[in-house]
């Protein structure tokens, strides 16, 4: 069952992990105003139902965001799962952010994603991420 997070606050606990809480606190500030923000978005696939930590449903597409804590994720299993989700749904892409990056350099990660997927983020959000990014020259 998907839960819509209110755009006004963007933060609607509880979350499954502190990583998710951190991302849910920051990401809505930067996304396109017309986008809807979901937590624990369920996707049916031929191999079962999977949940995406967050889904941004914008007029330009659906974009998944995953928080990857080291202890709970396996690269090959996650890639298989993502491939199933992408082939079985209208989700455009899934972006994974490592736990250490959520805590220490989230704006850098979101800025990099905004360069690849500008339609997810508002113009102001992209400008703010550029300003907050610590490695702007490396990501441009």
């Amino acid at each position: 069952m998907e839960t819509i997070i209110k755009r006004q606050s963007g933060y609607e606990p509880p979350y499954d992990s502190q990583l998710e809480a951190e991302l849910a606190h920051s990401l809505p500030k930067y996304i396109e105003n017309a986008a809807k923000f979901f937590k624990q978005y369920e996707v049916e696939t031929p191999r079962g139902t999977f949940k995406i930590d967050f889904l941004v449903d914008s007029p330009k597409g659906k974009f998944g965001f995953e928080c990857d804590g080291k202890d709970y994720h396996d690269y090959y299993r996650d890639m298989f799962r993502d491939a199933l989700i992408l082939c079985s749904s209208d989700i455009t892409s899934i972006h994974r952010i490592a736990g250490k990056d959520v805590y220490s350099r989230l704006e850098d990660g979101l800025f990099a994603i905004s360069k690849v997927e500008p339609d997810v983020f508002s113009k102001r959000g992209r400008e703010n991420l550029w300003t907050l990014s610590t490695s702007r020259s490396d990501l441009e």
Side-chain angles (χ1 to χ4, degrees), residues 40-59:
Q40 296 301 311
Y41 187 84
E42 291 185 351
V43 180
E44 297 290 330
T45 76
R47 299 294 290 267
T49 301
F50 295 100
K51 289 183 183 178
I52 297 175
D53 291 338
F54 299 102
L55 183 88
V56 175
D57 185 357
S58 80

Side-chain angles (χ1 to χ4, degrees), residues 116-130:
V116 176
E117 306 279 10
D119 294 333
V120 175
F121 300 88
S122 67
K123 182 176 188 273
R124 182 176 179 171
R126 290 190 309 271
E127 290 169 355
N128 288 342
L129 288 169
W130 182 86

Side-chain angles (χ1 to χ4, degrees), residues 1-139:
M1 178 70 162
E2 62 198 46
T3 303
I4 297 177
I5 297 175
K6 298 175 187 172
R7 280 290 285 143
Q8 295 78 17
S9 68
Y11 186 75
E12 291 287 324
Y15 295 98
D16 288 350
S17 70
Q18 185 59 37
L19 283 175
E20 289 182 21
E22 292 289 329
L23 186 56
H25 184 263
S26 294
L27 184 57
K29 295 186 274 189
Y30 304 114
I31 65 174
E32 182 61 49
N33 288 333
K36 294 177 184 169
F37 190 63
F38 299 90
K39 68 178 180 177
Q40 296 301 311
Y41 187 84
E42 291 185 351
V43 180
E44 297 290 330
T45 76
R47 299 294 290 267
T49 301
F50 295 100
K51 289 183 183 178
I52 297 175
D53 291 338
F54 299 102
L55 183 88
V56 175
D57 185 357
S58 80
K60 303 276 180 121
K62 293 182 179 181
F63 306 91
F65 288 85
E66 287 284 320
C67 307
D68 289 345
K70 182 179 171 183
D71 295 336
Y72 298 100
H73 290 276
D74 173 82
Y75 175 80
Y76 296 105
R77 186 187 70 223
D78 291 343
M79 293 304 106
F80 179 74
R81 174 188 171 277
D82 290 355
L84 282 170
I85 290 170
L86 292 169
C87 291
S88 305
S89 70
D90 57 352
I91 295 173
T92 307
S93 59
I94 298 172
H95 298 280
R96 294 186 167 274
I97 303 173
K100 64 181 179 178
D101 294 332
V102 169
Y103 289 125
S104 63
R105 47 183 186 239
L106 180 57
E107 284 77 15
D108 289 347
L110 293 177
F111 177 70
I113 294 169
S114 78
K115 298 299 279 183
V116 176
E117 306 279 10
D119 294 333
V120 175
F121 300 88
S122 67
K123 182 176 188 273
R124 182 176 179 171
R126 290 190 309 271
E127 290 169 355
N128 288 342
L129 288 169
W130 182 86
T131 300
L132 295 169
S133 173
T134 59
S135 54
R136 289 187 292 272
S137 62
D138 293 339
L139 298 172

